[in-house]
Amino acid sequence: QVQLVESGGGLVQAGGSLRLSCAASGSIFSINVMGWYRQAPGKQRELVATITGAGNTNYADSVKGRFTCSRDNAKNTVFLQMNSLKPEDTAAYYCYVDGRTTRRRPFDSWGQGTQVTVSS
């Protein structure tokens, strides 16, 4: 009932920048937390950044100072601005959203993933 569409991944050289976007649509009454996780080959999925409706953010230590998570509540969209990218940032990045549907039921949804590859 809630769909997430991600965009913005790609190939970039170390030190470069990318901006990911994720738009949520469907039977949405309200959104609480939006954010990003990533999963590198052979590793577990890990939190990158989250942002609440009030704008409070939380970042993994490995990306603090380099990544910025923001959201446009009017468009149900979350962004991840990634600067000073490193090869170790290479992973599939997944958008995450939770909230309540128009039937007031809680939901949490994941995007399909977008690949970010950083070359050295």
Side-chain angles (χ1 to χ4, degrees), residues 75-88:
K75 296 182 178 180
N76 290 340
T77 300
V78 61
F79 306 96
L80 186 68
Q81 178 66 43
M82 304 184 292
N83 298 329
S84 302
L85 282 160
K86 304 176 181 180
E88 51 263 45

PDB file of all heavy atoms in Angstrom, residues 75-88:
ATOM      1  N   LYS A  75       6.266  16.527   0.096  1.00  0.00           N
ATOM      2  CA  LYS A  75       6.396  15.599  -1.036  1.00  0.00           C
ATOM      3  C   LYS A  75       6.710  14.177  -0.586  1.00  0.00           C
ATOM      4  O   LYS A  75       6.970  13.306  -1.423  1.00  0.00           O
ATOM      5  CB  LYS A  75       7.484  16.083  -1.991  1.00  0.00           C
ATOM      6  CG  LYS A  75       7.166  17.420  -2.640  1.00  0.00           C
ATOM      7  CD  LYS A  75       8.252  17.835  -3.614  1.00  0.00           C
ATOM      8  CE  LYS A  75       7.895  19.157  -4.286  1.00  0.00           C
ATOM      9  NZ  LYS A  75       8.948  19.584  -5.263  1.00  0.00           N
ATOM     10  N   ASN A  76       6.677  13.953   0.732  1.00  0.00           N
ATOM     11  CA  ASN A  76       6.975  12.612   1.271  1.00  0.00           C
ATOM     12  C   ASN A  76       8.277  12.052   0.685  1.00  0.00           C
ATOM     13  O   ASN A  76       8.348  10.885   0.282  1.00  0.00           O
ATOM     14  CB  ASN A  76       5.823  11.639   0.988  1.00  0.00           C
ATOM     15  CG  ASN A  76       4.588  11.957   1.794  1.00  0.00           C
ATOM     16  OD1 ASN A  76       4.652  12.640   2.819  1.00  0.00           O
ATOM     17  ND2 ASN A  76       3.445  11.481   1.328  1.00  0.00           N
ATOM     18  N   THR A  77       9.266  12.882   0.658  1.00  0.00           N
ATOM     19  CA  THR A  77      10.535  12.521   0.030  1.00  0.00           C
ATOM     20  C   THR A  77      11.692  12.722   1.008  1.00  0.00           C
ATOM     21  O   THR A  77      11.716  13.712   1.745  1.00  0.00           O
ATOM     22  CB  THR A  77      10.774  13.362  -1.235  1.00  0.00           C
ATOM     23  OG1 THR A  77       9.699  13.124  -2.156  1.00  0.00           O
ATOM     24  CG2 THR A  77      12.088  12.987  -1.903  1.00  0.00           C
ATOM     25  N   VAL A  78      12.612  11.783   0.980  1.00  0.00           N
ATOM     26  CA  VAL A  78      13.821  11.879   1.794  1.00  0.00           C
ATOM     27  C   VAL A  78      15.032  11.882   0.867  1.00  0.00           C
ATOM     28  O   VAL A  78      15.016  11.256  -0.193  1.00  0.00           O
ATOM     29  CB  VAL A  78      13.900  10.725   2.817  1.00  0.00           C
ATOM     30  CG1 VAL A  78      13.946   9.367   2.135  1.00  0.00           C
ATOM     31  CG2 VAL A  78      15.061  10.912   3.773  1.00  0.00           C
ATOM     32  N   PHE A  79      16.049  12.618   1.290  1.00  0.00           N
ATOM     33  CA  PHE A  79      17.255  12.769   0.498  1.00  0.00           C
ATOM     34  C   PHE A  79      18.480  12.349   1.307  1.00  0.00           C
ATOM     35  O   PHE A  79      18.473  12.410   2.532  1.00  0.00           O
ATOM     36  CB  PHE A  79      17.443  14.236   0.068  1.00  0.00           C
ATOM     37  CG  PHE A  79      16.261  14.821  -0.633  1.00  0.00           C
ATOM     38  CD1 PHE A  79      15.330  15.573   0.058  1.00  0.00           C
ATOM     39  CD2 PHE A  79      16.080  14.628  -1.995  1.00  0.00           C
ATOM     40  CE1 PHE A  79      14.232  16.119  -0.581  1.00  0.00           C
ATOM     41  CE2 PHE A  79      14.991  15.172  -2.649  1.00  0.00           C
ATOM     42  CZ  PHE A  79      14.058  15.912  -1.941  1.00  0.00           C
ATOM     43  N   LEU A  80      19.522  11.956   0.591  1.00  0.00           N
ATOM     44  CA  LEU A  80      20.813  11.694   1.229  1.00  0.00           C
ATOM     45  C   LEU A  80      21.883  12.334   0.355  1.00  0.00           C
ATOM     46  O   LEU A  80      22.154  11.850  -0.742  1.00  0.00           O
ATOM     47  CB  LEU A  80      21.074  10.197   1.390  1.00  0.00           C
ATOM     48  CG  LEU A  80      22.341   9.855   2.171  1.00  0.00           C
ATOM     49  CD1 LEU A  80      22.196  10.263   3.635  1.00  0.00           C
ATOM     50  CD2 LEU A  80      22.656   8.361   2.072  1.00  0.00           C
ATOM     51  N   GLN A  81      22.435  13.424   0.839  1.00  0.00           N
ATOM     52  CA  GLN A  81      23.544  14.075   0.154  1.00  0.00           C
ATOM     53  C   GLN A  81      24.833  13.461   0.668  1.00  0.00           C
ATOM     54  O   GLN A  81      25.119  13.507   1.858  1.00  0.00           O
ATOM     55  CB  GLN A  81      23.538  15.577   0.425  1.00  0.00           C
ATOM     56  CG  GLN A  81      24.694  16.333  -0.205  1.00  0.00           C
ATOM     57  CD  GLN A  81      24.646  16.317  -1.722  1.00  0.00           C
ATOM     58  OE1 GLN A  81      23.585  16.500  -2.318  1.00  0.00           O
ATOM     59  NE2 GLN A  81      25.784  16.085  -2.359  1.00  0.00           N
ATOM     60  N   MET A  82      25.594  12.870  -0.236  1.00  0.00           N
ATOM     61  CA  MET A  82      26.816  12.170   0.130  1.00  0.00           C
ATOM     62  C   MET A  82      28.011  12.895  -0.483  1.00  0.00           C
ATOM     63  O   MET A  82      28.126  12.972  -1.708  1.00  0.00           O
ATOM     64  CB  MET A  82      26.764  10.724  -0.363  1.00  0.00           C
ATOM     65  CG  MET A  82      25.550   9.957   0.127  1.00  0.00           C
ATOM     66  SD  MET A  82      25.553   8.224  -0.375  1.00  0.00           S
ATOM     67  CE  MET A  82      25.315   8.407  -2.134  1.00  0.00           C
ATOM     68  N   ASN A  83      28.855  13.440   0.361  1.00  0.00           N
ATOM     69  CA  ASN A  83      30.061  14.145  -0.071  1.00  0.00           C
ATOM     70  C   ASN A  83      31.306  13.398   0.387  1.00  0.00           C
ATOM     71  O   ASN A  83      31.234  12.548   1.277  1.00  0.00           O
ATOM     72  CB  ASN A  83      30.067  15.568   0.494  1.00  0.00           C
ATOM     73  CG  ASN A  83      28.905  16.399   0.012  1.00  0.00           C
ATOM     74  OD1 ASN A  83      28.399  16.230  -1.096  1.00  0.00           O
ATOM     75  ND2 ASN A  83      28.458  17.319   0.858  1.00  0.00           N
ATOM     76  N   SER A  84      32.423  13.733  -0.201  1.00  0.00           N
ATOM     77  CA  SER A  84      33.707  13.123   0.171  1.00  0.00           C
ATOM     78  C   SER A  84      33.593  11.599   0.216  1.00  0.00           C
ATOM     79  O   SER A  84      34.027  10.954   1.174  1.00  0.00           O
ATOM     80  CB  SER A  84      34.178  13.656   1.535  1.00  0.00           C
ATOM     81  OG  SER A  84      34.305  15.056   1.514  1.00  0.00           O
ATOM     82  N   LEU A  85      33.018  11.042  -0.822  1.00  0.00           N
ATOM     83  CA  LEU A  85      32.777   9.602  -0.857  1.00  0.00           C
ATOM     84  C   LEU A  85      34.084   8.817  -0.866  1.00  0.00           C
ATOM     85  O   LEU A  85      35.084   9.250  -1.440  1.00  0.00           O
ATOM     86  CB  LEU A  85      31.927   9.244  -2.062  1.00  0.00           C
ATOM     87  CG  LEU A  85      30.432   9.555  -1.895  1.00  0.00           C
ATOM     88  CD1 LEU A  85      29.734   9.636  -3.239  1.00  0.00           C
ATOM     89  CD2 LEU A  85      29.779   8.493  -1.018  1.00  0.00           C
ATOM     90  N   LYS A  86      34.024   7.671  -0.197  1.00  0.00           N
ATOM     91  CA  LYS A  86      35.177   6.785  -0.091  1.00  0.00           C
ATOM     92  C   LYS A  86      34.828   5.421  -0.697  1.00  0.00           C
ATOM     93  O   LYS A  86      33.645   5.051  -0.741  1.00  0.00           O
ATOM     94  CB  LYS A  86      35.532   6.586   1.385  1.00  0.00           C
ATOM     95  CG  LYS A  86      35.805   7.866   2.153  1.00  0.00           C
ATOM     96  CD  LYS A  86      36.046   7.569   3.628  1.00  0.00           C
ATOM     97  CE  LYS A  86      36.294   8.838   4.430  1.00  0.00           C
ATOM     98  NZ  LYS A  86      36.526   8.553   5.870  1.00  0.00           N
ATOM     99  N   PRO A  87      35.824   4.670  -1.120  1.00  0.00           N
ATOM    100  CA  PRO A  87      35.534   3.337  -1.668  1.00  0.00           C
ATOM    101  C   PRO A  87      34.732   2.463  -0.698  1.00  0.00           C
ATOM    102  O   PRO A  87      33.893   1.665  -1.138  1.00  0.00           O
ATOM    103  CB  PRO A  87      36.926   2.755  -1.923  1.00  0.00           C
ATOM    104  CG  PRO A  87      37.768   3.957  -2.220  1.00  0.00           C
ATOM    105  CD  PRO A  87      37.249   5.027  -1.296  1.00  0.00           C
ATOM    106  N   GLU A  88      34.954   2.632   0.593  1.00  0.00           N
ATOM    107  CA  GLU A  88      34.212   1.834   1.566  1.00  0.00           C
ATOM    108  C   GLU A  88      32.739   2.213   1.685  1.00  0.00           C
ATOM    109  O   GLU A  88      31.974   1.548   2.374  1.00  0.00           O
ATOM    110  CB  GLU A  88      34.877   1.891   2.952  1.00  0.00           C
ATOM    111  CG  GLU A  88      35.176   3.285   3.444  1.00  0.00           C
ATOM    112  CD  GLU A  88      36.617   3.693   3.174  1.00  0.00           C
ATOM    113  OE1 GLU A  88      37.114   3.442   2.046  1.00  0.00           O
ATOM    114  OE2 GLU A  88      37.239   4.281   4.091  1.00  0.00           O
TER     115      GLU A  88
END
